[in-house]
Amino acid sequence: MPATCYNSRMEQTPWKPILVGTIASLILLFSVYFFALPKQELGRPSEKILEFSGSTIVGHDKGKKVWEFSSKGGWVGKEQNITNLEEVVKGSFYKDNKLQIKNFTAAKVSAFRDSKIIEAKSANALIAIGKERKFVRIKADSLSYNPDRSESILSGNVKVSDKSETLFCQNLHIDHKEGISTARDNLRAVIYGKQISTLKADSLVMDADEKEEVILNGSVEAVQGKKQAVADSAVYNKNGKDIRLKGKVKAVISKAGALIKEETAQKLRDNETKEILKEKTLQTSDSLILSTLNGDYRAEGNVIVEQKNRIAKSDTAEYSDKDEIITLTGNVYIKQKERWVKCRKVLVSVKDQTFEAFGSVEAEFKL
């Protein structure tokens, strides 16, 4: 009987007021959570299961050291797949027990346990390039290192430098195994010699081994002292200490003390020769070799030199930076009014703005 009485009372209990009250309570709880309690962003302390400070941690794969970092602080998330480090003061990266990156610092580092990939922000380090493991200084807004692929990807205000040259770009891919680096976007290379040489291009490929060549492609621009040139492609030979421009090469040479303006390169591409020839000497050729040792150059193939209303053409031309003189040799012709006169050689003075023709003409003369 008590059980029957109990069930009877339950059946008589009004359920609607209880349900309405429960829903109202839930709404109140959610309102308090969303509008009253303080919020914490994703990846912040609410997701941390372990925090540490002033520590040195080491990552291993199959018994081999992959990376080692000393940082001011760090934490591990609840999924335990990523170790996050803040203010890394010293770090190293390894591949097959060989040092790939050293003297590494960064504002933040994320180490992924499963992929072994390292991602860093505001990175600064010495990085090994090529089979000879030549270390160069790198800086970038972000860096990603993949030990399995033996590659590093840098992006954002990238700077790579050593004693002889500095490279600036927005994106850089480094293949540590093959020793090949590819750069692009806002690319500029500065080469230090007797005169500073600056190269710009759409892309650059650098081989740290073998011939030590740097290949530039697409809208190449070279500036060296009083000289500026544009071309389709270029090769910087570190061993030979020269820059070789190829394909529709156009160059301007200014008098000593004159400035090469930023817009000159665009005028060269747009064939605005009238403006250029007011104060400069214009030269076109199939190729042009600039020396980084003394500032001289050698032009080859369909060479044409123009200066004000004077024109000469030849197979080759050599420029002396010291004397500011272009010497044309091989099938040399100089234009006189409406006819071309053949001669042995022509000297073009950039400084004095004169032409001198020698040999195989009725008389030697100046223009």
Side-chain angles (χ1 to χ4, degrees), residues 50-330:
L50 173 65
E51 292 187 69
F52 49 88
S53 61
S55 302
T56 296
I57 60 174
V58 180
H60 290 87
D61 179 47
K62 296 178 182 178
K64 295 181 179 180
K65 185 187 293 186
V66 178
W67 49 260
E68 180 178 4
F69 298 116
S70 296
S71 67
K72 292 185 178 180
W75 54 278
V76 179
K78 64 180 181 180
E79 294 181 358
Q80 303 182 43
N81 186 44
I82 305 173
T83 300
N84 298 282
L85 306 173
E86 296 174 348
E87 295 188 63
V88 175
V89 295
K90 185 179 180 181
S92 302
F93 299 67
Y94 301 87
K95 173 64 176 177
D96 296 329
N97 292 327
K98 292 183 179 179
L99 190 62
Q100 296 282 20
I101 300 175
K102 64 181 181 179
N103 298 354
F104 175 85
T105 63
K108 182 180 179 180
V109 168
S110 296
F112 296 81
R113 184 185 63 186
D114 294 338
S115 65
K116 293 165 287 183
I117 292 175
I118 300 293
E119 293 183 354
K121 299 296 183 183
S122 300
N124 188 336
L126 289 173
I127 192 164
I129 299 178
K131 297 174 184 177
E132 295 181 356
R133 308 184 54 73
K134 177 183 177 182
F135 282 89
V136 297
R137 171 69 59 184
I138 62 100
K139 291 182 179 181
D141 291 344
S142 64
L143 177 149
S144 176
Y145 172 69
N146 189 324
D148 286 340
R149 295 184 179 181
S150 193
E151 68 176 8
S152 295
I153 298 174
L154 294 82
S155 60
N157 299 310
V158 180
K159 180 181 178 181
V160 183
S161 58
D162 62 15
K163 294 180 180 179
S164 58
E165 60 264 344
T166 301
L167 172 68
F168 302 90
C169 64
Q170 291 301 312
N171 292 283
L172 177 66
H173 176 271
I174 300 175
D175 187 324
H176 298 279
K177 185 177 180 180
E178 298 298 327
I180 296 175
S181 303
T182 305
R184 58 184 175 84
D185 300 329
N186 295 330
L187 189 151
R188 179 167 59 94
V190 181
I191 302 166
Y192 306 105
K194 179 183 178 182
Q195 296 178 341
I196 293 178
S197 303
T198 302
L199 299 173
K200 296 181 181 180
D202 292 339
S203 64
L204 175 151
V205 178
M206 178 171 56
D207 188 343
D209 299 315
E210 299 176 357
K211 297 180 180 179
E212 295 260 333
E213 290 186 342
V214 178
I215 300 171
L216 300 97
N217 288 299
S219 300
V220 175
E221 177 184 339
V223 178
Q224 184 191 73
K226 305 179 289 291
K227 306 175 290 296
Q228 184 175 40
V230 297
D232 293 335
S233 63
V235 175
Y236 167 47
N237 189 312
K238 296 183 180 181
N239 291 332
K241 304 297 182 183
D242 60 40
I243 302 165
R244 305 185 181 194
L245 293 93
K246 298 179 180 180
K248 301 177 182 178
V249 183
K250 297 179 183 179
V252 292
I253 306 97
S254 301
K255 292 190 254 183
L259 296 176
I260 296 289
K261 299 178 181 178
E262 287 289 332
E263 61 268 22
T264 299
Q266 189 58 49
K267 288 181 179 179
L268 279 172
R269 293 191 177 94
D270 295 341
N271 293 317
E272 295 183 24
T273 56
K274 290 183 180 179
E275 289 297 320
I276 292 172
L277 292 174
K278 286 181 179 179
E279 57 183 21
K280 300 177 179 72
T281 301
L282 172 66
Q283 177 183 289
T284 60
S285 59
D286 293 338
S287 66
L288 181 69
I289 303 174
L290 291 166
S291 171
T292 60
L293 291 175
N294 53 28
D296 295 350
Y297 74 63
R298 178 181 174 85
E300 297 177 342
N302 300 308
V303 179
I304 297 176
V305 178
E306 297 180 63
Q307 189 186 82
K308 292 186 176 179
N309 296 321
R310 299 180 288 267
I311 303 176
K313 60 183 181 180
S314 64
D315 292 337
T316 62
E318 294 184 348
Y319 173 74
S320 169
D321 190 74
K322 179 181 178 181
D323 300 325
E324 297 184 70
I325 291 176
I326 303 171
T327 303
L328 289 83
T329 56

Side-chain angles (χ1 to χ4, degrees), residues 2 4 33 46 103 203 272 292 323 342 360 366:
T4 303
Y33 175 77
S46 61
N103 298 354
S203 64
E272 295 183 24
T292 60
D323 300 325
K342 187 175 182 179
S360 300
K366 287 187 178 183

